[in-house]
Amino acid sequence: MKKDIMICGVGGQGTVLASKIIASSAMNEGSAVHSAETIGMAQRGGPVTSHVRVGEDAFSPLIPVGGADLLIAFEPSEAVRNLKYLKKDGFVIVNCVPVKPTSLAGGADYDGKAEIEFLKSKCGCLVVNSDELCKPFGSSKFFNVAVLGAACGTGKLGLSKDTLCGEIVRIVPERFKEKNLAAFEAGYKIGVNNNANK
Amino acid sequence: MSKKYVMGNGAIALGALSAGVNLVSGYPGTPSSEIIETVAKYPHEGTYLEWSVNEKAAMEVAAAAAYSGARAMVTMKQVGLNVASDPLMSLAYVGVKGGMVVVSADDPGPISSQTEQDTRRFAEFARIPVFDPSSPEEAFEMARDAFEYSEKYKTPVILRPTTRVDHAYASIEARDSFKAKEYEGFVKDSKKWVIFPRLSFINHAMIEKRNIEIGEDFSSYRFNTAAGNSEKAVIATGVSYAYAREFLKDYPEIKLIKVGTPYPLPESFLLKALEGVKEILCFEELSPYIEESLLKLAGKHHLDIEVRGKLTGDVPASGENDTDSARRIIGRFLKIEEAENCVNLSDAPEPPPRPPVLCAGCPHRASFYAVKKAMKGKKAYFCGDIGCYTLGNAMPLDMVDTCLCMGAGITMAQGFNHMDKEAVAISFTGDSTFFASGITGVVNAVYNAADMIVCVLDNSTTAMTGHQPHPGTGRNLMATPVEKISIEKTLLAIGVKKVITVDPLDLDASVEAVKKCAEIKGVKAIIFKSPCVALVKSDKKMKVDSGKCIGCMRCIKEIGCPALSVSGGKIVIDENLCTGCGLCSKLCPVGSIGGV
């Protein structure tokens, strides 16, 4: 398999776990994988990205501009900020719930709506709502695994549900296992429905 | 043996463990911190590990191991090498017996550093070999090779990864448990191990001669490579090679040269690789190191070759390279135009700015606010330091007037005090920074009769780099518990006039402590003690009574906590972020914020 997947969001949203699960799943399915993360000062409330590169001829740890097959965005404006990495015919899975910037930095009126409209007008897009999706699980912290379910359900991830669930079970702490698998399933249904509605 | 999916830093750790490393020491610093943490994670026998108090200590501890014939690795970020440069420069003259690898991680961008310095230059300055990996896989192999070269030439060697190699992940085939090498132990020989002018004179001459040999040896090193055949060539080092290769993979005829060992320069390899080349672009980060090396080489051997790069303006002087800059810069040089395959973004809404901020509930915010409140209307200088709390510079706190390097907050506040007796001089230093290089500054201030307030922001961890332990935490990498070194007792022993320990989340007591210290002559200290919110999970939340909130925005304007935002003219608190520290509730003029 050859696939470039970018994950973006705001520091603290759990993007790193999502990228780890994708990378180790692809590895388990026999693919060569490379990935890269934002770490350090940049992650304190700032924009964060993970680049996951599946395939033998990915030399750079970073996905080239216009190279990503799939962009998984945990936040609407972060999807727009990183859209340059998406291929023209690439696909975006985006959370419509905005993370408001610290008020004094500007962007006080930002609500993410214009960003979602922009994304819909430009590319193939699945919009999910982390608040609704995670409500049954009591915390938006489960969104990272739920959105992987959605990505898997659309078939755009190129990884099997079994492999991904196996890695979730292996990586997340035992006491959160059940909820994470349920969150994955909830996301998976949305992904599958999105395809069925087309 | 099994495949392990690890980051570049993990690959370096596995490389060192595979080489049977006996001792690993270091001081945390992005992007190098995960090396020691990964060594600690894998089962190993006989390897001593430590987080040292600073990089100089780490270098000296490692040097003793290498004198003993053991294999030693010492890890730090590039600015840490400045701190460790004193032992390193001398160690280069004395040499080692067991292999010694100094890992100094550079940070092009810079992404999380004060400087864009280039460790390759440091290696040349110290006259010691340097390895420059372009990927985690290469970092793994180079870490092992570095020990071999170090022992072969009896010199410390540097391994210099950069952020994008340190933090890139790849799968590495390595053993599952490790055993440290047998070593002879220290053999006394004062003619060898005691540095004196005469020894330095003799060894200097030997080193210069030896480095020519190492350059020759490196000429056949497997990570110095050349592919393609064209008059216009590209030469790259480190991760820039990965970007260049990514772009040039569709153009195999273009000559692409990689230098994995920039110093001593593998001259024979380069002379051969440059045959038939008329023009060459040096695609590298930080300084024009390879570019200048090629200019020297061309001058020395009368090569008719045009060398382009940073010095000619083809490659930017600062910042990091990436796949996009590789496409633009190398494309321009080779006259290859590739259309961008991305979505048209000309009418995209501008994303909101997201500068890094102190976490919601961070006790540093409360400490800064207390000092600000106590000093309101007074002339004061606020000297910051290196750590999360550098973020106290941001509006609305605006409490960091200076930040220079590790430990400089204390000594600079002292300097300001000598220049301006009217102002109150205040320094802010974290607990780990206090141990790393703050104590000497306090001694200097007390000895030189300064009037100042030393604020220690003690959150009981090294937070910015990923929560490493330090001498005040009661644990180290080999054991728990160990003796906790008391900051308070240390300050009192130095002779600080007044030391007050206070919980920064108790706003009134904190303001009172600052006011009290400001009235006393001499050096005073306040230890603001409260654990890092990333380590201590809190179930407490604050909630706004929207019926009471008058929308005055005082809370946002005064403390700028990321959990606070405005909706419909009223304050709302993000319950996912709030830790219930309660600072905002103390500012609300109508008492609309309460705990739940």
Side-chain angles (χ1 to χ4, degrees), chain A residues 23 27 33-35 37 39 41 44 53 57 59-60 64 75 77-78 81 84 88 99 101 104-105 118 122 140, chain B residues 5 112 137 167-169 242-243 245-246 249 323 341-342 344 347-348 352-354 356-357 396 463-464 556 576:
Chain A
M27 213 171 96
V33 189
H34 288 87
S35 56
E37 310 282 355
I39 292 172
M41 191 179 238
R44 306 268 184 255
R53 311 205 63 193
D57 67 342
F59 298 111
S60 151
E75 208 281 340
S77 69
E78 295 312 312
R81 201 190 301 276
K84 65 175 182 185
K88 257 186 192 149
V99 175
L104 283 150
F118 175 77
K122 293 287 177 181
S140 60
Chain B
Y5 195 64
S112 201
E137 292 93 333
H167 292 167
Y169 281 76
Y243 303 142
R245 192 163 176 214
E246 183 79 37
K249 68 183 172 194
T323 46
N341 182 35
C342 39
N344 177 7
D347 54 341
R354 296 192 195 275
V357 287
M464 180 59 106
I556 289 186
N576 286 317

Side-chain angles (χ1 to χ4, degrees), chain B residues 420-434:
Chain B
D420 184 353
K421 294 287 179 195
E422 302 298 310
V424 185
I426 299 179
S427 66
F428 295 100
T429 306
D431 41 350
S432 188
T433 307
F434 175 79

Side-chain angles (χ1 to χ4, degrees), chain B residues 67-284:
Chain B
Y67 282 18
S68 306
R71 287 191 162 182
M73 179 177 267
V74 53
T75 76
M76 62 200 66
K77 68 183 296 179
Q78 87 287 37
V79 286
L81 192 60
N82 301 340
V83 177
S85 64
D86 195 4
L88 181 69
M89 295 303 290
S90 299
L91 190 62
Y93 282 83
V94 175
V96 295
K97 187 163 94 180
M100 177 160 168
V101 179
V102 178
V103 183
S104 171
D106 283 348
D107 185 23
I111 298 171
S112 201
S113 298
Q114 305 94 296
T115 70
E116 276 203 305
Q117 65 190 72
D118 190 329
T119 295
R120 297 175 299 175
R121 294 227 182 264
F122 225 120
E124 184 180 6
F125 181 46
R127 321 305 286 167
I128 59 181
V130 58
F131 292 77
D132 190 1
S134 70
S135 66
E137 292 93 333
E138 229 171 75
F140 170 69
E141 294 199 37
M142 281 186 174
R144 290 195 299 191
D145 297 343
F147 282 106
E148 300 291 336
Y149 278 90
S150 174
E151 280 169 9
K152 184 171 175 187
Y153 293 101
K154 300 190 178 355
T155 176
V157 303
I158 292 178
L159 177 65
R160 177 208 79 140
T162 56
T163 307
R164 298 296 183 188
V165 172
D166 292 302
H167 292 167
Y169 281 76
S171 54
I172 301 289
E173 179 97 17
R175 284 206 300 270
D176 299 312
S177 65
F178 303 90
K179 202 165 181 286
K181 269 188 91 154
E182 299 284 322
Y183 60 97
E184 188 190 15
F186 182 57
V187 178
K188 291 188 188 193
D189 181 354
S190 66
K191 284 196 213 59
K192 192 175 162 88
W193 302 122
V194 180
I195 194 163
F196 265 115
R198 178 72 194 156
L199 177 82
S200 299
F201 171 78
I202 292 166
N203 284 1
H204 185 191
M206 179 277 291
I207 287 164
E208 295 304 331
K209 198 162 154 267
R210 175 203 71 195
N211 282 355
I212 296 169
E213 284 170 38
I214 298 178
E216 273 309 294
D217 200 344
F218 279 164
S219 282
S220 58
Y221 186 52
R222 67 188 182 288
F223 292 121
N224 291 320
T225 59
N229 190 6
S230 57
E231 288 188 351
K232 280 185 137 190
V234 177
I235 187 165
T237 68
V239 75
S240 294
Y241 168 77
Y243 303 142
R245 192 163 176 214
E246 183 79 37
F247 175 63
L248 290 173
K249 68 183 172 194
D250 297 331
Y251 308 95
E253 72 283 4
I254 301 296
K255 182 169 266 187
L256 176 60
I257 304 170
K258 178 179 67 169
V259 179
T261 54
Y263 181 82
L265 198 69
E267 284 198 14
S268 306
F269 158 75
L270 283 169
L271 288 172
K272 188 155 189 313
L274 292 172
E275 276 172 15
V277 174
K278 295 255 186 324
E279 206 179 339
I280 190 158
L281 177 75
C282 305
F283 191 60
E284 58 189 323

Side-chain angles (χ1 to χ4, degrees), chain A residues 76-77 96 98 109-120, chain B residues 349:
Chain A
S77 69
C96 66
D109 302 326
Y110 166 67
D111 62 7
K113 292 198 172 86
E115 283 73 10
I116 295 293
E117 287 316 308
F118 175 77
L119 291 164
K120 281 182 176 166

